[in-house]
Amino acid sequence: MSLLVVGSIAIDSVETPQRVEADVLGGSASYFAMAASFFGPVRVVGVVGEDFPDPYLQVLRSRRTIDTSGIQMAAGKTFRWKGRYAQDMNWRDTLEVHLNVLEHFDPDLPENFRDSRYVFLANGSPVVQRKVLHQIRSPRLVVADTMDLWIKTQHDELLELFQQIDGIVLNDQEATLLTGESQIIPAGRKVLALGVRFVIIKKGEHGAILFSETGMVSLPAYPVSNVLDPTGAGDSFAGGLMGYLAESPVQDHAAFKRGIAYGTVTASITVEDFSLNRYASTSREEIENRYQLYRQMLRVE
Amino acid sequence: MSLLVVGSIAIDSVETPQRVEADVLGGSASYFAMAASFFGPVRVVGVVGEDFPDPYLQVLRSRRTIDTSGIQMAAGKTFRWKGRYAQDMNWRDTLEVHLNVLEHFDPDLPENFRDSRYVFLANGSPVVQRKVLHQIRSPRLVVADTMDLWIKTQHDELLELFQQIDGIVLNDQEATLLTGESQIIPAGRKVLALGVRFVIIKKGEHGAILFSETGMVSLPAYPVSNVLDPTGAGDSFAGGLMGYLAESPVQDHAAFKRGIAYGTVTASITVEDFSLNRYASTSREEIENRYQLYRQMLRVE
């Protein structure tokens, strides 16, 4: 099935307590597309600047299931993000953000992408997210990500977006900010009541919780022995989830659980190295093995 | 099978963002025994002062599976703890601690408790924990809890205790303090390497992780819609775990997972009200129903 992601392609600089990696490939669309590409084809829409290193484009192109024809190059510099993680890796400070070409990114989808059935609107202004969505003729499953900035500055626009999408992914702090609820379960329920069909609250190393009409599912993260860099875990999670769902014949509750499990696995692979580096040695078989170990771990019998 | 808990019986005062409850029944042994009592008999060893309200003793006695004959009354006042929870309930400050009769508590086990096969040494000085353990003739499964105070002040005694017990339960911060590892998975592995057969790291609302020779199991908390008071969740978890294991014909990896699932359920019941109040309306059937829902939630198929 046709899966589309619209999001950022970035040059990241990441500081962890162990290491500093400067000017590496990042961005929500990159992480999403890489994770999703192990399940089926994925179309990427994004923008880079004239300074974007060709080898980084090759990282995405090297996965033959990633269609990079929707990545434009604009005059100016690529979006840059610089962050520093705390000792336990659960917290990070954004040290620098340079929107650059992303500032005026107003995606005009290629004609052959407009029939996409599965759509992930990565973190971005809800106004732009809606403009993208309106270019899709007949979407079957639309999921959006958001962040504190939009909750604070484009609250009403975000709520309007909620009426037009199926699901929203956000982290626990964002859910609290959006609902005023400090406990995660009531917060998730209140987000659900804002008009989406499902809500996924990402808790980083503590897993994720799905809220939907069918109920609540809390699943842990896949236990990773050595987290090198958590950047992109959330987008890789979404990529594994939607990559799986786009290829699944059904999208019922059981399929969503499988999707969350696959997203958990792809996120666990991402964090084992900086940037998308870990994927250079990842195969569909490795993902499947880890998925089966994860299922087995969760089986109480 | 014969299950013994040695721990505190307390009078707690608890402040949450919603409510203040003063002078309620608390203590590690109380929470453990109550949770375990739904699975089979449990013997309690602890001490109270002359001020201990008789109705609180009745709360424990009202469960006919709880043997309270090992609860001594000593001259002086009962152990008191006062704490305040933060908005999201994941953090608390201890406002007051009055050890009172607990200060010189040096448990001399009743003769008829010395044949106990399953033993939970609730949080206490590792010196006292070892003295208790030496009174047990032939224990089959010994689990201890500990806290930052003992890790800092009785580090060597704690490590000696590790050589004599089967398992240790501790929270993520304690595991970090004990090992110097800020990431939870390497921290758990290092605790395991200190000489115990298994380690359970409790993560509160984020569940628990078991580390053993057989591998690692991460399980989420049971999603609770309205947490009123997290006090006692850890001891209730241990009570459900060991209450189940003491009645289980086998103690293999699968049985441990079932035990952790039962402990997760009893902890989830505890936090739905202050003190042990929620247990006034709890039945074995309710625990079983919640256990089945939890198993089902974790089933990826």
Side-chain angles (χ1 to χ4, degrees), chain A residues 189 225 258 295 299 301, chain B residues 189 225 258 299-301:
Chain A
R189 289 213 169 121
S225 297
R258 288 193 293 272
R295 283 183 66 209
R299 207 169 191 95
E301 55 195 350
Chain B
R189 288 214 170 121
S225 297
R258 289 192 294 273
R299 209 171 188 94
V300 179
E301 54 194 349

Side-chain angles (χ1 to χ4, degrees), chain B residues 36-113:
Chain B
S37 74
F38 288 85
F39 300 88
V42 50
R43 299 159 170 178
V44 183
V45 167
V47 64
V48 297
E50 292 153 321
D51 61 340
F52 194 70
D54 193 60
Y56 289 180
L57 214 50
Q58 287 306 326
V59 169
L60 300 175
R61 283 203 183 121
S62 70
R63 299 281 312 158
R64 60 175 180 70
T65 44
I66 300 184
D67 184 341
T68 59
S69 65
I71 301 179
Q72 315 160 31
M73 184 175 287
K77 290 187 168 179
T78 302
F79 169 55
R80 280 173 179 265
W81 176 82
K82 184 174 182 175
R84 182 192 289 142
Y85 287 88
Q87 190 65 37
D88 74 357
M89 301 272 207
N90 287 313
W91 302 98
R92 73 179 183 197
D93 287 322
T94 290
L95 303 178
E96 291 178 29
V97 177
H98 304 285
L99 286 178
N100 296 332
V101 295
L102 206 59
E103 190 170 357
H104 301 294
F105 183 46
D106 188 6
D108 184 33
L109 300 192
E111 185 50 38
N112 62 326
F113 281 12

Side-chain angles (χ1 to χ4, degrees), chain A residues 87 182-183 185-186 189 203 205-206 218 220 224-225 227 257-258 295-301, chain B residues 87 182-186 189 203 206 218 220 224-225 227 257-258 291 295-301:
Chain A
Q87 190 64 37
S182 53
Q183 289 187 33
I185 308 289
R189 289 213 169 121
K203 303 190 296 170
E205 72 156 336
H206 300 304
S218 176
V224 170
S225 297
V227 175
K257 283 169 76 171
R258 288 193 293 272
R295 283 183 66 209
Q296 193 55 41
M297 182 185 84
L298 296 179
R299 207 169 191 95
V300 179
E301 55 195 350
Chain B
Q87 190 65 37
S182 53
Q183 288 187 35
I184 197 166
I185 308 288
R189 288 214 170 121
K203 303 191 295 169
H206 300 305
S218 176
V224 170
S225 297
V227 175
K257 283 169 76 171
R258 289 192 294 273
Y291 171 77
R295 284 184 64 207
Q296 193 56 39
M297 181 184 86
L298 296 179
R299 209 171 188 94
V300 179
E301 54 194 349

Side-chain angles (χ1 to χ4, degrees), chain B residues 210-245:
Chain B
L210 166 72
F211 299 81
S212 75
E213 300 130 356
T214 327
M216 218 176 347
V217 177
S218 176
L219 292 176
Y222 185 90
V224 170
S225 297
N226 191 14
V227 175
L228 280 196
D229 173 16
T231 310
D235 294 303
S236 309
F237 171 85
L241 166 67
M242 293 200 66
Y244 172 76
L245 286 176

